[in-house]
Amino acid sequence: PSAVPEPAPPPAASRPASPEPEPAADAPRVLVAEDNAIAATVIRTLLRQQGAAVTLVTDGEAALDAVRRADFDLAFIDLRMPKVDGIEFTRRVRANESDGAHLPIIALTANAAEDVKERCLVAGMDAFLTKPVDTGALADAVARYRPQVQGN
């Protein structure tokens, strides 16, 4: 039987990207709740590039469950999600925080209206980012809310 030649390797542009490195043990633990798959992928990728350990969920109930099960240093929460929206998520988290505990919660939304920002702050959110998320703004938020053990 004749030998089949080995196929040529694919061009570099079509090869899958090398896997992302595991975050360091002291990496900030970030919860991202975003129901739009493209936005979620972009945000997760940007955060991982900054060295964060990212947990991604697609609705508010899953975000509440994640907060009950693990400690996070920061949460980016879409305002308009299925099951539990970002405002209600924040109210429930704040209602259950014990003395001294505070999860920084940053709103993610396409609506930058002042009344929306005000509702976020009244609910207990710490900050507000508009979508599409700016890489610099995301990096600034992580740096601002990075755990104190990181030296900030």
Side-chain angles (χ1 to χ4, degrees):
S2 63
V4 177
E6 283 286 316
S14 66
R15 282 187 214 136
S18 52
E20 294 173 2
E22 285 297 313
D26 62 348
R29 297 159 309 206
V30 180
L31 174 64
V32 175
E34 171 61 69
D35 63 323
N36 178 291
I38 293 171
T41 299
V42 169
I43 293 165
R44 179 182 60 204
T45 300
L46 293 173
L47 288 169
R48 285 185 175 165
Q49 287 172 350
Q50 295 173 35
V54 179
T55 298
L56 179 63
V57 297
T58 58
D59 66 64
E61 266 183 19
L64 287 168
D65 189 49
V67 169
R68 282 187 218 100
R69 292 174 183 242
D71 291 327
F72 292 96
D73 299 309
L74 178 60
F76 289 96
I77 306 296
D78 184 21
L79 287 186
R80 299 185 68 188
M81 290 183 295
K83 300 181 181 177
V84 175
D85 69 17
I87 298 288
E88 183 60 23
F89 166 86
T90 302
R91 286 185 184 130
R92 290 186 194 181
V93 168
R94 296 294 180 243
N96 290 308
E97 284 180 331
S98 58
D99 292 338
H102 180 81
L103 172 65
I105 300 173
I106 299 175
L108 296 172
T109 185
N111 185 349
E114 284 303 315
D115 64 317
V116 174
K117 290 181 184 179
E118 182 66 23
R119 283 182 48 228
C120 292
L121 296 175
V122 167
M125 291 182 162
D126 297 276
F128 188 96
L129 291 179
T130 55
K131 296 187 288 187
V133 174
D134 173 74
T135 305
L138 196 65
D140 289 347
V142 171
R144 179 176 179 191
Y145 295 105
R146 191 172 209 128
Q148 295 302 310
V149 295
Q150 296 289 320
N152 291 358

